[in-house]
Amino acid sequence: MTTATSPKLLDGLDWQGKISSNGWRAGSAPSLPVTDKSTGEVLGTLGIASAGDVASAAKSAAEHQPAWAGRSREERAAILEKAKELLSAHRDEFVWWLVRESGSTEPKAAFEVEVTLVKFGQIIGELRTSVLEEVIVDEGGYRSVAERVPLGVVGIIGPFNFPLYLCLRAVLPALAFGNAVVLKPDQQTAVASGILTAKLFAQAGLPEGVLHVLPGDVEPGKALTIDPNVAMIAFTGSSAVGKLIGAAAGGLLKRVSLELGGNSPFVVLEDADIEAAARCGAWGSFLHQGQICMASSRHIVHESIAEAYAVALTDHAAKLAVGDPAKGQFHLGPIINDEQRARVDRIVKETVASGATVTTGGTHEGNFYRPTVLTNVKPGMAAFDEEIFGPVAPITTFKTDDEAVALANGTEYGLSASVHSKSLDHARAVARRLRSGMVHINDQTVNDDPRAPFGGVGASGNGSRQGGHASLDEYTTWHWSTERAEPPMYPF
């Protein structure tokens, strides 16, 4: 297990029981223990924000935002560059907290830090090179200017599964393009995604009042969504909560970016490489205990190869080691909490009771759930219909491409999908028919690239996109102004 080396970002910082809002101070709500998700060991005390804390932070952010937006692009880029350098220098500390606080394996935690560093680079590049102004000048002296301007204060509500990356995926473009930010990290993983983030940017030279970090759960989330000083809400989390946030924020005509759940189809056509597909399927279903919105949730396999595919996938799943990632080399760590583990187990048991078969897994010790493969899964069964968010790979068979497409699209979700075939033309023909924000041919569904626009359709999101040039669209708006040397003489 990698350990953080001195000096650490948190050395000398009195963060215990505190929130970061114009300095470090006690949260108004009762504090909570920070726990190791594998052992239950208490690692610290987390300050929790109240609705009143959110109101104060949002007001302060609105007051400080104009000065931050007034900084030159290069000044803002330099601060982001410094924060990136600090993250790179302290990557071991971030990995340590991700392993202990979120149940990540060390390779997953290290990857999360690396992709966050890539995101830093992408956003810094966008900030320095994006065209933010369009000017038209007529011969008569009429000047028309359309320019990209910040929204104001952006409220960001982050998840627990990839907490660092999925919070900073929104924080970085928001800050880069001149917004102030109020970040509410998930209280289950608030050190990795919140406390460390606050210290990172403070040390990088971000002016006080521009970034506020307020951990919490429902109360501060609701307060942030409806606060009059907040112009936009960027939420990553469940579809159920996202719908509530979308309704509340949309009713106030705020901009809303919703990156929600998924039930992603992993389609294996009859001409696929079975072993290669099974490897991809295992990765897509079991990475980070399946707690990924893009997880390969439904393996839709041609009936002629379904038995061979199930054997191969079962073999991969059975060989995976499950345990405390802080104490050894394991492929899977713990499910995030008791409630989510019980939900996964309920879905598996209900699906088996409906006629499915467990070929491996289906058991757990505490929150350590064995990677599970289910065969004979059909629409109407819990493992087909619901987002599992656990290490479960249900297999459903099909006879024709039309049936495969109908099965794949037979969900309210539409985040990610994949199609496997030795024929790219065949795979492309099927992929074009899938209702999904992203499709990957001969790969697995858990794919993200900071350079590409990321997002889903249906219950997986509201059409917003993060990444690439889409970040500029999300975190700025157009402002149009005109000017004339002399007023025109209108007819009346």
Side-chain angles (χ1 to χ4, degrees):
M1 170 63 194
T2 300
T3 57
T5 56
S6 292
K8 303 173 188 174
L9 274 174
L10 297 187
D11 283 348
L13 176 65
D14 184 15
W15 63 272
Q16 302 276 349
K18 296 183 178 179
I19 60 176
S20 176
S21 185
N22 295 316
W24 293 88
R25 59 180 181 81
S28 299
S31 60
L32 291 175
V34 179
T35 60
D36 183 314
K37 299 307 181 293
S38 293
T39 66
E41 176 190 353
V42 175
L43 305 173
T45 303
L46 184 67
I48 299 297
S50 67
D53 293 325
V54 170
S56 297
K59 183 175 183 293
S60 172
E63 292 168 349
H64 287 87
Q65 184 269 330
W68 172 243
R71 297 277 190 107
S72 70
R73 282 206 253 183
E74 190 50 47
E75 286 177 302
R76 280 182 262 134
I79 289 174
L80 294 185
E81 285 277 17
K82 180 61 177 175
K84 179 186 177 186
E85 292 170 7
L86 287 167
L87 174 58
S88 182
H90 293 279
R91 68 183 70 203
D92 284 353
E93 186 174 0
F94 281 85
V95 167
W96 190 92
W97 278 102
L98 286 167
V99 168
R100 302 296 292 274
E101 197 181 26
S102 75
S104 298
T105 63
E106 189 175 347
K108 179 268 182 187
F111 169 77
E112 184 169 351
V113 173
E114 289 305 314
V115 75
T116 304
L117 288 168
V118 173
K119 185 65 179 180
F120 262 102
Q122 183 259 321
I123 288 298
I124 292 166
E126 287 284 326
L127 176 57
R128 285 177 166 149
T129 61
S130 292
V131 176
L132 303 181
E133 185 178 79
E134 297 179 12
V135 180
I136 302 170
V137 179
D138 291 344
E139 289 184 4
Y142 175 82
R143 188 172 187 267
S144 173
V145 180
E147 59 181 328
R148 290 280 192 175
V149 297
L151 300 168
V153 178
V154 176
I156 297 170
I157 302 175
F160 68 79
N161 56 340
F162 274 71
L164 175 67
Y165 176 63
L166 294 180
C167 283
L168 287 186
R169 181 181 66 179
V171 169
L172 293 177
L175 291 177
F177 298 119
N179 301 282
V181 169
V182 179
L183 167 64
K184 190 199 81 64
D186 192 296
Q187 62 190 26
Q188 298 177 101
T189 53
V191 177
S193 59
I195 305 302
L196 281 166
T197 294
K199 181 61 185 296
L200 186 81
F201 280 100
Q203 195 165 320
L206 185 71
E208 190 171 272
V210 176
L211 172 64
H212 302 255
V213 177
L214 285 72
D217 197 7
V218 177
E219 180 187 346
K222 285 183 176 178
L224 188 60
T225 300
I226 64 175
D227 191 280
N229 285 302
V230 176
M232 173 184 176
I233 295 293
F235 171 76
T236 302
S238 73
S239 297
V241 175
K243 289 175 183 178
L244 296 175
I245 289 173
L252 296 170
L253 302 183
K254 296 176 186 279
R255 182 173 295 187
V256 188
S257 173
L258 301 175
E259 201 276 278
L260 308 178
N263 193 357
S264 300
F266 183 89
V267 180
V268 185
L269 302 177
E270 67 271 24
D271 52 356
D273 181 321
I274 294 174
E275 174 59 22
R279 280 183 172 273
C280 288
W283 181 266
S285 288
F286 305 133
L287 176 64
H288 194 45
Q289 299 79 263
Q291 299 174 123
I292 304 174
C293 56
M294 299 175 284
S296 301
S297 306
R298 294 172 297 141
H299 296 241
I300 298 171
V301 186
H302 193 272
E303 62 179 10
S304 67
I305 60 170
E307 184 175 350
Y309 179 80
V311 169
L313 184 61
T314 298
D315 181 60
H316 283 287
K319 291 176 180 177
L320 297 177
V322 182
D324 182 349
K327 296 179 179 177
Q329 297 296 317
F330 295 100
H331 300 99
L332 284 76
I335 299 290
I336 190 69
N337 57 39
D338 294 346
E339 181 182 9
Q340 179 58 23
R341 183 261 304 151
R343 183 177 184 278
V344 172
D345 200 42
R346 186 264 303 166
I347 289 173
V348 170
K349 284 182 167 59
E350 286 184 4
T351 304
V352 172
S354 298
T357 301
V358 177
T359 63
T360 187
T363 61
H364 65 92
E365 294 183 13
N367 289 340
F368 294 93
Y369 208 96
R370 284 292 311 167
T372 300
V373 177
L374 301 173
T375 58
N376 304 316
V377 176
K378 296 177 174 58
M381 294 183 179
F384 187 93
D385 293 347
E386 298 184 42
E387 181 183 26
I388 304 170
F389 227 66
V392 181
I395 299 176
T396 301
T397 62
F398 68 90
K399 292 183 174 66
T400 66
D401 286 359
D402 287 346
E403 186 182 2
V405 170
L407 287 167
N409 291 341
T411 176
E412 64 176 338
Y413 299 98
L415 184 57
S416 187
S418 66
V419 181
H420 277 255
S421 172
K422 291 178 182 176
S423 166
L424 286 177
D425 287 341
H426 189 186
R428 289 178 187 134
V430 172
R432 280 193 293 269
R433 300 170 64 189
L434 301 185
R435 188 178 63 88
S436 180
M438 302 167 283
V439 182
H440 307 287
I441 293 176
N442 288 331
D443 205 338
Q444 41 80 37
T445 55
V446 184
N447 270 293
D448 190 9
D449 185 334
R451 300 167 299 179
F454 177 101
V457 298
S460 291
N462 63 335
S464 61
R465 293 293 183 269
Q466 303 270 0
H469 299 306
S471 296
L472 177 62
D473 294 332
E474 284 293 286
Y475 295 97
T476 65
T477 189
W478 284 105
H479 177 265
W480 182 45
S481 63
T482 69
E483 60 183 53
R484 299 176 185 270
E486 297 289 341
M489 298 299 292
Y490 289 103
F492 60 87

